Amino acid sequence: MTKPTPLNVEIVLDPKRYIVSETDAKGKITYCNDYFMEVSGYNEEELIGAPHNIVRHPDMPKVVFKLLWETISAGKNINAVVKNLAKDGRYYWIFTEFEIRKDTDTGAVIGYHASRKTISKHVIEIISELYAELLEIENKDGVEASQDYLVNFLKSKGDDVDFSNIMEEIHRFY
């Protein structure tokens, strides 16, 4: 499936509704709610079994997903602000809470549950500037350089601030 051409048109989300999806351990979609389908523009047949990156917007730095996967693969939940791409090329910003799903018998990670909610324009402005900087670094010097920049950015915010914490703090206070 070819990715849509991004349009500079934002989809305004309903603050009273959540976008929900679940994936297997490899990131393939196993469940999506009606609101996810409505906002993304994909139907259930297009989404189930597809990699979740079907909605990844090209404005998103790869380092964000690298850190997300490292965190959830280590068995830890994480929150992140993500810009997604709808099937028609429009975009939407969301605050996503990624939770691990484990096999009740073995404790092995079997997949992930993600619920998403709207975020304020001010948070989007802050995050979009950071993401643009990370993306520029990635395009010039690679993902490792982008990660170095992000680590130093987080250290400048405090010793105990990690990627998940900064997302929560920005979302909470702005």
Side-chain angles (χ1 to χ4, degrees):
M1 176 179 292
T2 58
K3 286 274 194 177
T5 301
L7 304 172
N8 192 21
V9 179
E10 184 173 6
I11 297 170
V12 178
L13 300 178
D14 180 345
K16 295 179 182 162
R17 296 179 73 189
Y18 279 80
I19 295 172
V20 178
S21 65
E22 292 184 356
T23 69
D24 64 16
K26 297 189 187 254
K28 293 201 185 270
I29 299 170
T30 58
Y31 168 80
C32 53
N33 72 349
D34 290 340
Y35 193 48
F36 182 25
M37 289 184 278
E38 179 184 326
V39 172
S40 73
Y42 291 99
N43 64 41
E44 189 172 31
E45 293 76 28
E46 293 170 303
L47 290 171
I48 301 299
H52 208 288
N53 68 10
I54 191 172
V55 294
R56 184 177 296 174
H57 196 285
D59 287 352
M60 285 297 300
K62 289 180 178 83
V63 70
V64 171
F65 295 102
K66 179 181 185 284
L67 294 171
L68 283 170
W69 276 104
E70 286 175 359
T71 302
I72 59 179
S73 296
K76 300 176 187 170
N77 295 336
I78 190 169
N79 299 318
V81 176
V82 178
K83 183 179 186 180
N84 280 341
L85 181 66
K87 185 178 180 178
D88 65 4
R90 296 180 298 157
Y91 68 91
Y92 54 101
W93 283 97
I94 48 175
F95 182 78
T96 305
E97 300 167 345
F98 295 92
E99 296 178 7
I100 295 150
R101 294 184 305 119
K102 293 184 178 183
D103 181 287
T104 53
D105 295 327
T106 66
V109 174
I110 58 170
Y112 308 99
H113 173 90
S115 59
R116 301 156 187 93
K117 56 188 173 185
T118 60
I119 52 179
S120 74
K121 290 289 182 197
H122 188 65
V123 170
I124 292 170
E125 288 172 13
I126 292 168
I127 292 296
S128 63
E129 287 178 22
L130 173 61
Y131 285 2
E133 182 70 25
L134 293 171
L135 193 58
E136 184 177 325
I137 293 166
E138 279 179 18
N139 290 334
K140 183 179 174 206
D141 299 317
V143 174
E144 295 305 319
S146 180
Q147 185 168 347
D148 290 344
Y149 178 90
L150 182 56
V151 166
N152 288 326
F153 174 83
L154 295 174
K155 283 182 181 176
S156 75
K157 302 299 177 192
D159 290 339
D160 64 343
V161 176
D162 64 18
F163 181 72
S164 183
N165 289 346
I166 195 77
M167 293 294 177
E168 289 179 47
E169 295 301 314
I170 290 170
H171 186 258
R172 183 180 346 195
F173 294 112
Y174 297 101

